[in-house]
């Protein structure tokens, strides 16, 4: 059955792969699934046809036959549960990998989003310079803990899983802040994710939307 996802017609990140369709593309590439991408404008995302797929008028969405999903976590979990390569077979290891997906989205990403929002939208506020270090320290607090847990392991819990896919995707949003480089093991962890062939294909495909040139690899 054909899988169709949605992505920004023109991503505000200029092709850096930070919009959430990259996570879904990456999961599809890891699972070896072909997919189509429907590009949507900011205006189209708020129109009834798209709102029927995504109640909050956002990307990405996922369509497969008569199934329509939104929320990246749910989409990646759906892919991971039905196809090999993203979740271990052992039931307990599988549960732990899913736990890391939730940890990435619910525990690590919120302070990172707060930092992104502060930098993007609050730079002109009189309290910006005072608040920024507080927001950065909330990010560091989470990274201290994550870095301690990862230690010198390659992945969070044994082999690469959807938990790592989600955690690396979340951490990538920090790169421009420089904070990730304060944690060499986390920077190396992210780099390990980025060199995976499936990530590269996903990244190149989203970049091609931005540049208008088809992926070369
Ligand atoms: N919880 C949802 C999920 O995980 O799927 C959140 C989805 C979401 O935030 N979608 C964003 C969106 O559609 C795109 S990814 N925004 C449009 C809107 O709300 O009107 C977030 C994003 C956007 C831009 C960048 N960037 O330019 O760097 C990075 C990430």
């Amino acid at each position: 059955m054909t899988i169709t996802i949605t992505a920004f017609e023109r991503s505000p990140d200029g092709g850096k792969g930070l919009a959430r369709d990259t996570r879904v593309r990456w999961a599809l590439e890891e699972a070896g699934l072909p997919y189509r991408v429907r590009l949507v404008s900011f205006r189209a995302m708020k129109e009834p046809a798209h709102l029927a797929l995504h109640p909050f008028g956002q990307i990405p969405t996922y369509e497969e036959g008569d199934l329509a999903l939104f929320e990246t976590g749910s989409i990646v979990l759906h892919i991971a549960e039905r196809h090999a390569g993203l979740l271990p077979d052992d039931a307990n290891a599988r549960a732990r990998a899913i736990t890391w997906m939730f940890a990435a989205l619910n525990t690590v990403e919120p302070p990172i989003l707060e930092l992104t929002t502060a930098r993007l939208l609050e730079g002109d506020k009189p309290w910006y310079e005072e608040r920024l270090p507080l927001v950065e320290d909330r990010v560091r607090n989470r990274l201290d803990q994550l870095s301690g847990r990862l230690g010198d392991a390659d992945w969070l819990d044994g082999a690469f899983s959807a938990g790592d896919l989600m955690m690396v995707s979340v951490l990538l949003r920090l790169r421009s802040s420089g904070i990730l480089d304060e944690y060499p093991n986390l920077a190396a962890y992210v780099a390990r994710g980025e060199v995976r062939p499936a990530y590269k294909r996903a990244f190149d495909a989203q970049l091609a939307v931005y540049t208008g040139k088809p992926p070369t690899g």
Side-chain angles (χ1 to χ4, degrees):
M1 216 170 304
T2 307
I3 293 170
T4 303
I5 67 167
T6 50
F8 282 138
E9 186 180 72
R10 193 150 189 87
S11 179
D13 72 359
K16 291 197 181 75
L18 299 176
R20 284 180 171 86
D21 59 290
T22 303
R23 304 170 188 192
V24 174
R25 291 173 187 270
W26 186 5
L28 289 165
E29 294 288 353
E30 291 283 353
L33 295 170
Y35 62 98
R36 289 204 303 232
V37 183
R38 192 169 62 250
L39 301 177
V40 288
S41 65
F42 276 89
R43 201 179 68 185
M45 280 192 284
K46 309 302 174 196
E47 287 173 356
H50 189 78
L51 287 170
L53 292 173
H54 196 308
F56 307 112
Q58 297 181 314
I59 59 99
T61 58
Y62 175 100
E63 293 160 81
E64 185 184 12
D66 57 8
L67 174 68
L69 297 175
F70 60 96
E71 281 298 328
T72 324
S74 160
I75 296 169
V76 171
L77 184 57
H78 172 80
I79 296 165
E81 281 186 322
R82 282 159 184 79
H83 303 278
L86 283 164
L87 286 175
D89 291 333
D90 173 75
N92 285 353
R94 207 173 171 90
R96 289 196 303 273
I98 294 169
T99 300
W100 278 115
M101 288 181 67
F102 278 85
L105 294 171
N106 291 347
T107 304
V108 178
E109 190 163 45
I112 294 176
L113 274 181
E114 203 185 346
L115 176 62
T116 309
T117 307
R119 285 171 166 260
L120 275 179
L121 304 177
E122 296 171 357
D124 59 344
K125 307 290 183 211
W127 35 261
Y128 175 74
E129 294 296 340
E130 208 176 342
R131 180 169 185 262
L132 191 63
L134 303 177
V135 177
E136 287 176 340
D137 280 349
R138 283 201 281 272
V139 172
R140 286 191 183 95
N141 183 35
R142 282 289 174 255
L143 297 195
D144 285 343
Q145 296 162 324
L146 184 65
S147 169
R149 171 53 85 99
L150 180 67
D152 58 7
D154 279 355
W155 305 113
L156 286 165
D157 192 318
F160 174 84
S161 77
D164 296 296
L165 183 152
M166 206 55 90
M167 192 65 81
V168 167
S169 299
V170 161
L171 294 176
L172 272 166
R173 298 194 69 173
L174 270 181
R175 177 163 282 149
S176 63
S177 73
I179 295 180
L180 193 59
D181 297 326
E182 296 171 22
Y183 300 85
N185 69 334
L186 294 182
Y189 171 65
V190 168
R192 271 192 293 281
E194 287 179 297
V195 297
R196 291 182 71 82
Y199 176 82
K200 285 185 170 179
R201 288 194 295 274
F203 182 89
D204 289 349
Q206 67 75 37
L207 180 62
V209 173
Y210 190 82
T211 61
K213 294 183 192 145
T216 49

